[in-house]
């Protein structure tokens, strides 16, 4: 019964997904988790900074495996109820390509250089090799029976639950170079620099494959019905295994000793697992409760729960570039006005005398006032004063007397993250004493 249930649902849910390479300091980026919801045909996008779902993306039928390209621009999703892989643009959160592969695609992994995606076809017993430059299948590799999990390190590792083996594919030649016997019904696979970790669902164990010699280095007892596995690459390099019927736990394996150091309760029927780039948190999909548990790796405890779609199976995490949005254009106008004040003359009667010069600027966008923005007033590169626009977009400056005979004055808004910069100039009289035109 357990084998039958998993055959219809379980896939690689916690492979190592190559993370985006470091972006330039000036660039913005976000760490996002992409969760496949098998029963609702969607992908939920979780912002790991807030643990909120920021988008839900329709994909193919019964999506399972998921991987993010190293540059963070695309997400590849295996749609198991058919023969397709959906390609999502992370900029638009929309499917931009659909690729035909073998029957029953379950797992997907991308090479560290981002040039190829490897997709396991469970019904066909093959692996499709996709060129990410063209989104076309460039090779098809025969592996073991009913392949599910796949991970890419120095080689490609494919878990074959139908034959209780792991196929090792050479990346350069796309040929199988080794077939390794592991436990019963292997499903998830993850790699770190030295080893490949494979979950054996029916044995309650994880096999550790020595990447150098392709031998079994250790067999680790974990929880009941282990499915997904993910390896952290920093912060102690722990390995995390989801145990679907323990019930609902994650085993933490110390990769140095290959022993379980903690067991963490999560949601119902946990399956997928992925680690954020700095290894501070681990994300686990709970198929039975339609949630994602967020584990604090330092505390070894689930500290948050995120509601997602129906039947969340797999999760992949990537560093996603944020494209800088165009700033809103602004318009600045400036008026220079002579002020008058009433003073008493020699006979005691009120007369009008010179009261100095006042500058009035107005900042707008699309004709609407922009408030709360600093406006700097200058003349001949000499700063006169700075004022903040009010609710009508106005800012004011009283010109000191020593500058009020100058010909021209300038108001400047330097701009900010949302609004573009603008300037305006107003002139009183030119050097011949005639009024000078104002420029705004």
């Amino acid at each position: 019964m357990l084998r039958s249930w998993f055959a219809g649902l379980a896939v690689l849910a916690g492979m190592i997904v190559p993370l985006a390479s470091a972006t330039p300091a000036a660039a913005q980026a976000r760490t996002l988790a992409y969760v496949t919801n098998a029963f609702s045909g969607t992908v939920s996008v979780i912002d790991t900074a807030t643990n909120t779902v920021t988008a839900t993306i329709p994909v193919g039928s019964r999506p399972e495996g998921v991987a993010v390209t190293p540059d963070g621009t695309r997400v590849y999703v295996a749609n198991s109820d058919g023969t397709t892989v959906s390609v999502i643009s992370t900029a638009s959160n929309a499917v931009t390509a659909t690729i035909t592969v073998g029957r029953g695609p379950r797992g997907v992994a991308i090479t560290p250089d981002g040039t190829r995606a490897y997709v396991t076809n469970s019904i066909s017993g093959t692996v499709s090799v996709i060129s990410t430059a063209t989104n076309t299948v460039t090779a098809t590799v025969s592996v073991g029976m009913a392949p599910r999990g796949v991970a890419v390190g120095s080689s490609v590792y494919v878990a074959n639950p139908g034959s209780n083996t792991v196929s090792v594919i050479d990346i350069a030649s796309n040929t199988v170079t080794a077939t390794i016997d592991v436990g019963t019904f292997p499903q998830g696979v993850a790699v770190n620099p030295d080893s490949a970790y494979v979950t054996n669902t029916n044995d309650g164990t994880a096999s550790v494959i020595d990447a150098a010699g392709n031998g079994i280095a250790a067999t680790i007892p974990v929880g009941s019905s282990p499915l997904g596995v993910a390896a952290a690459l920093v912060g102690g390099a722990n390995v995390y295994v989801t145990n679907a019927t323990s019930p609902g736990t994650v085993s933490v394996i110390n990769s140095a000793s290959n022993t379980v150091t903690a067991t963490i309760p999560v949601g119902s029927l946990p399956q997928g697992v992925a680690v954020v780039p700095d290894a501070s948190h681990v994300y686990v999909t709970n198929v039975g409760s339609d949630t994602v548990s967020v584990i604090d790796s330092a505390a070894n405890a689930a500290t948050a729960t995120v509601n997602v779609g129906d039947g969340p199976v797999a999760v992949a995490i990537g560093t996603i570039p944020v494209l800088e949005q165009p700033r809103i254009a602004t318009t600045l106008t400036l008026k220079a006005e002579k002020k008058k004040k009433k003073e008493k003359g020699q006979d005691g009667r009120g007369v009008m005398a010179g009261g100095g010069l006042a500058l009035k600027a107005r900042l707008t966008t699309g004709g609407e006032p922009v408030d709360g923005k600093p406006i700097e007033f200058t003349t001949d590169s000499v700063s006169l004063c700075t004022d903040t626009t009010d609710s009508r977009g106005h800012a004011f400056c009283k010109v000191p007397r020593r500058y009020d005979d100058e010909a021209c004055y300038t108001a400047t808004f330097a701009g900010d993250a949302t609004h573009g910069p603008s300037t305006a100039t107003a002139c009183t009289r030119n050097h011949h004493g005639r009024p000078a035109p104002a420029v705004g």
Side-chain angles (χ1 to χ4, degrees), residues 16 41 52 71 74 303:
I16 279 289
T52 57
D71 64 4
R74 286 172 291 173
T303 55

Side-chain angles (χ1 to χ4, degrees), residues 277-297:
D278 65 2
S280 61
H281 292 86
V282 181
Y283 284 71
V284 177
T285 62
N286 304 304
V287 179
S289 52
D290 297 336
T291 61
V292 171
S293 296
V294 183
I295 295 172
D296 183 321
S297 61

